[in-house]
Amino acid sequence: MMKLNEQMQYWNYAAVKVLDIRRIVLKNEIQHGSYTLPAACFIYSIRGSADLQLNGHKYRSEPFFILHGAKGSILNIKNDEEFEYIMLYYRAFRAFPNYRKRWSQGQTLGAPLSLQYGFTPSSPLKLLRYLHEMEKVWAQQSNLNLLHTKSLFYQFIHELMVQLAAQEVQTEVVDPVKQTLEYIHQHYREQVTLDFLAEQFNFSSRHLSMRFKRKTGYSPIDYLIQTRIGKAQDLLVRSDAKLGDIAAEVGYSDVYYFSRIFKKHVGMSPTLYQKKMKELRRIEDRPLHVSESSIGWALKSRYIDYDNHYRYINGGSTPMKRKNSSSSMIMIAILSLTMLLTACSSGTANTLSAGEGTGANSTNSSSSVTSETGSQVNKDKETRTVSTIKGDVIVPANPKRVVVLYLQGDVVALGVKPIATSDVYDGAAYKSELEGVNSLGTWFEPNPEAVIDLDPDLIIVPSEETYNTLKNIAPTVYIPYEKMTTEERLHSIASIFGKEKEAEVLINNLNSKVEESKKTLADAGILDKTISIIEGGLKGMVVVESKQFGRGSQAVYEYLEMKAPKVVQDKIDVVSDEDGSTISMEVLPEYIGDYVFRSVYEGADVLTDNPIWSSIPAVKEGRLIEIDFDFFYYSDIYSINKQLDFVVDKLLSAPRAQ
């Protein structure tokens, strides 16, 4: 609850912007859905009556009833007669630094725009007069009239404070955790980020995350994921919808990413989960019901440990709250022992060594490629100054606690094992090298709190957004990887660690492998054949049309310099960024070369029964090579080495194209 005197103090130091004034008439025969307030808002009823519900609180609105709601509040209106009201949207913030700082630190969380209350004023016509005047002036929208609107708003607030004091109206601070929970439950299908949620409810991302985690035990994004997974589990068991449709229904446009995150949280793939759950239901439906499931665990309904029990979960291996059990304690003990043994190990991870390669000799000449970063060591202070596109960054000369997002493969190839990385696909070439390393979730949305807890001494990021999110935690180097060749990127990362010589050896060995691979394919009569790289299914197939698309395009088109069919090659020759076109099955044969690589993943369409697909010569004659999405997703030097081996071996073992 916020005292009236505190509200008045706030308004004395607040800067205000009126965002909109609108008059609304609701017909009684119309069904009204929930509405999320996009800003702090006064709702003033003029004619008719209605039942209002704001964030679960019910109010009976008769003429001249006034309701105030915070940004992000959920409004429901039920009226049996025509109902007319005015909505006044505004934004306010502390105008002076000292007060603004105090507010942002949580000392004045009950700022007026975060309050919720409703009452019928004793002198309603005074408030209505100011609202009518604001309506008229607002409609003209000139600078002078906008200034007039703001002055009328302050007069409206003054009269409101007078009447609140006279009637001793109780005001309530809206709980942002409740608002966030409600928003997630209604909008989990949409694109939701922590910054978006914080902006919705007038909190900083950090403060909202801390409050949310304190009350629920989970960060908002973790909770969102749990909500989506719970919905997906229900759909998998209770429907026969396709995996792609279920993924889209719960907010994931990429069915492969959905499958991977489902497996991470549930412990098995969506397909396997569906199979086992349906089998369990069949067992339970039998007349002679067995007491325990044959798959070894039973589903229990759980509630999150929070007053309003918003989140209800059916099943899953990661319920919102877990109680300690002997099995979990054993697991913790095993993990602790593993970490201890890892810490005591004197060797580094078995990475792709700088000496690995098919060529016996390597040169020691320095690279002539211009790098996005360069470094200079200050031996006295044991630091290194790295030049980046964001300016010079001082990093430890020998960093021990490295956090890296997305660029793990290059870091691992240089012999550096980070303490934490963004998620890595299970089939990635270097997955085993990161065993025991902390996972920070998707590379484009790291959790700052999780990174802070790790106390890193160096952070490497692949985008400006992630740089801005993490730069204040530890020395952070931004590598604009999408604008670099593999060699440029490796040199840039090597300069951070002072491993320029190791990078040069890796590049020379890669070049030697490429030349030997090209000779092997040429001798076999394959190097001059055309290759297509595709991904997709019956509804549409993406044909890769650049060297930077991934899915093996670097290995095939850039390093081995093999060609695609002319209709595709013409685009590859002029496209520098990642690019591809979605082609219907009817015209797909025109885009298929002598050999075809198809990127596959769990849930991908089975094409064997499609007559068009089966009639394609490369498919019919056994020159279709399926490549694992995980393995060919990355384009770091570690992955490309392994991808080259795969491509050459598969081409050599496939039937020869005439």
Side-chain angles (χ1 to χ4, degrees), residues 5-266:
N5 188 55
E6 292 175 340
Q7 293 188 52
M8 294 176 182
Q9 184 184 32
Y10 176 89
W11 287 116
N12 279 326
Y13 292 100
V16 172
K17 181 177 178 62
V18 176
L19 301 176
D20 195 11
I21 305 169
R22 61 182 71 170
R23 182 184 294 260
I24 300 171
V25 178
L26 295 182
K27 303 295 184 181
N28 58 355
E29 66 271 14
I30 297 176
Q31 184 70 30
H32 312 296
S34 296
Y35 174 66
T36 301
L37 298 182
C41 179
F42 288 103
I43 302 164
Y44 195 92
S45 63
I46 300 173
R47 179 169 53 87
S49 59
D51 291 320
L52 307 183
Q53 184 170 304
L54 192 65
N55 294 325
H57 293 267
K58 296 180 180 179
Y59 304 89
R60 180 61 182 175
S61 178
E62 301 291 346
F64 308 125
F65 181 83
I66 187 166
L67 177 65
H68 182 269
K71 180 179 180 180
S73 296
I74 307 299
L75 174 66
N76 291 277
I77 300 177
K78 182 180 180 181
N79 59 303
D80 296 325
E81 59 180 330
E82 194 167 87
F83 180 55
E84 182 177 355
Y85 58 98
I86 294 175
M87 301 187 81
L88 170 59
Y89 293 99
Y90 71 96
R91 182 167 59 236
F93 59 91
R94 293 282 192 178
F96 300 100
N98 289 339
Y99 292 99
R100 187 165 64 244
K101 181 179 180 182
R102 192 183 309 152
W103 182 31
S104 65
Q105 289 174 340
Q107 299 300 314
T108 332
L109 292 177
L113 69 167
S114 298
L115 296 177
Q116 178 172 316
Y117 55 88
F119 74 108
T120 301
S122 56
S123 301
L125 295 181
K126 289 184 179 180
L127 290 170
L128 185 60
R129 183 173 70 246
Y130 292 126
L131 287 172
H132 280 327
E133 286 297 318
M134 275 191 275
E135 272 192 290
K136 294 176 185 177
V137 177
W138 178 259
Q140 301 176 46
Q141 287 289 307
S142 68
N143 287 331
L144 186 59
N145 285 318
L146 291 177
L147 180 61
H148 189 189
T149 302
K150 185 178 291 189
S151 70
L152 289 168
F153 180 86
Y154 280 115
Q155 294 178 69
F156 173 83
I157 292 297
H158 173 264
E159 181 59 32
L160 181 71
M161 292 295 104
V162 170
Q163 300 209 35
L164 283 173
Q167 297 180 234
E168 298 182 349
V169 175
Q170 300 295 312
T171 59
E172 177 187 0
V173 179
V174 177
D175 184 351
V177 177
K178 291 182 180 179
Q179 286 184 294
T180 304
L181 286 165
E182 184 68 27
Y183 188 90
I184 288 173
H185 295 148
Q186 293 198 16
H187 300 275
Y188 65 88
R189 299 178 183 86
E190 303 169 11
Q191 184 69 27
V192 178
T193 65
L194 177 59
D195 287 343
F196 175 81
L197 289 170
E199 197 273 335
Q200 281 289 102
F201 307 120
N202 283 313
F203 274 79
S204 70
S205 300
R206 180 178 177 81
H207 193 77
L208 177 62
S209 182
M210 289 173 61
R211 286 173 64 95
F212 194 96
K213 193 167 186 177
R214 192 180 302 127
K215 286 208 173 183
T216 69
Y218 284 81
S219 71
I221 299 305
D222 285 340
Y223 188 86
L224 170 67
I225 292 171
Q226 293 281 7
T227 301
R228 288 173 168 176
I229 295 300
K231 298 291 185 182
Q233 288 175 298
D234 186 64
L235 288 170
L236 285 165
V237 174
R238 302 179 187 278
S239 77
D240 293 320
K242 291 183 178 180
L243 194 60
D245 294 335
I246 291 176
E249 173 63 20
V250 299
Y252 295 105
S253 58
D254 186 335
V255 65
Y256 182 80
Y257 178 73
F258 163 71
S259 297
R260 192 172 64 84
I261 203 166
F262 187 98
K263 184 176 180 180
K264 176 181 177 181
H265 284 268
V266 179

Side-chain angles (χ1 to χ4, degrees), residues 179-414:
Q179 286 184 294
T180 304
L181 286 165
E182 184 68 27
Y183 188 90
I184 288 173
H185 295 148
Q186 293 198 16
H187 300 275
Y188 65 88
R189 299 178 183 86
E190 303 169 11
Q191 184 69 27
V192 178
T193 65
L194 177 59
D195 287 343
F196 175 81
L197 289 170
E199 197 273 335
Q200 281 289 102
F201 307 120
N202 283 313
F203 274 79
S204 70
S205 300
R206 180 178 177 81
H207 193 77
L208 177 62
S209 182
M210 289 173 61
R211 286 173 64 95
F212 194 96
K213 193 167 186 177
R214 192 180 302 127
K215 286 208 173 183
T216 69
Y218 284 81
S219 71
I221 299 305
D222 285 340
Y223 188 86
L224 170 67
I225 292 171
Q226 293 281 7
T227 301
R228 288 173 168 176
I229 295 300
K231 298 291 185 182
Q233 288 175 298
D234 186 64
L235 288 170
L236 285 165
V237 174
R238 302 179 187 278
S239 77
D240 293 320
K242 291 183 178 180
L243 194 60
D245 294 335
I246 291 176
E249 173 63 20
V250 299
Y252 295 105
S253 58
D254 186 335
V255 65
Y256 182 80
Y257 178 73
F258 163 71
S259 297
R260 192 172 64 84
I261 203 166
F262 187 98
K263 184 176 180 180
K264 176 181 177 181
H265 284 268
V266 179
M268 64 183 76
S269 69
T271 304
L272 181 58
Y273 175 84
Q274 184 180 53
K275 179 181 178 181
K276 290 196 172 187
M277 289 298 96
K278 289 190 174 181
E279 176 62 26
L280 177 60
R281 291 184 68 186
R282 281 195 294 271
I283 292 173
E284 291 176 341
D285 289 340
R286 292 173 185 169
L288 296 177
H289 179 64
V290 293
S291 60
E292 292 292 337
S293 165
S294 61
I295 62 175
W297 48 272
L299 295 176
K300 294 182 179 180
S301 300
R302 296 175 183 253
Y303 281 99
I304 189 167
D305 184 18
Y306 185 62
D307 293 344
N308 285 11
H309 306 303
Y310 276 96
R311 177 70 176 104
Y312 182 83
I313 298 181
N314 275 323
S317 64
T318 53
M320 300 299 285
K321 282 286 185 182
R322 292 179 181 159
K323 295 181 179 179
N324 290 333
S325 65
S326 58
S327 61
S328 64
M329 295 303 294
I330 292 171
M331 182 59 69
I332 291 172
I334 292 172
L335 289 173
S336 300
L337 179 60
T338 302
M339 293 174 66
L340 178 62
L341 291 174
T342 303
C344 294
S345 175
S346 59
T348 59
N350 293 324
T351 63
L352 178 69
S353 67
E356 180 182 339
T358 56
N361 299 318
S362 61
T363 64
N364 293 320
S365 60
S366 60
S367 172
S368 60
V369 178
T370 301
S371 173
E372 290 281 353
T373 63
S375 65
Q376 181 178 356
V377 178
N378 184 336
K379 294 182 179 179
D380 294 335
K381 296 183 179 180
E382 297 185 341
T383 61
R384 178 179 289 107
T385 301
V386 181
S387 297
T388 77
I389 62 173
K390 290 294 184 181
D392 289 349
V393 180
I394 299 175
V395 303
N398 296 292
K400 303 298 184 185
R401 302 184 61 78
V402 180
V403 168
V404 56
L405 306 183
Y406 186 72
L407 304 166
Q408 305 98 321
D410 290 319
V411 171
V412 166
L414 290 167

Side-chain angles (χ1 to χ4, degrees), residues 518-545:
K518 289 166 69 175
K519 183 178 185 304
T520 299
L521 292 174
D523 291 344
I526 299 174
L527 191 64
D528 61 347
K529 301 302 181 182
T530 57
I531 290 187
S532 299
I533 302 174
I534 61 175
E535 180 180 276
L538 294 169
K539 292 182 179 179
M541 191 72 72
V542 175
V543 178
V544 174
E545 296 175 334

Side-chain angles (χ1 to χ4, degrees), residues 360-366 501 504-509 511-512:
N361 299 318
S362 61
T363 64
N364 293 320
S365 60
S366 60
K501 291 182 179 179
E504 195 63 33
V505 172
L506 286 167
I507 291 169
N508 288 335
N509 286 341
N511 291 335
S512 296

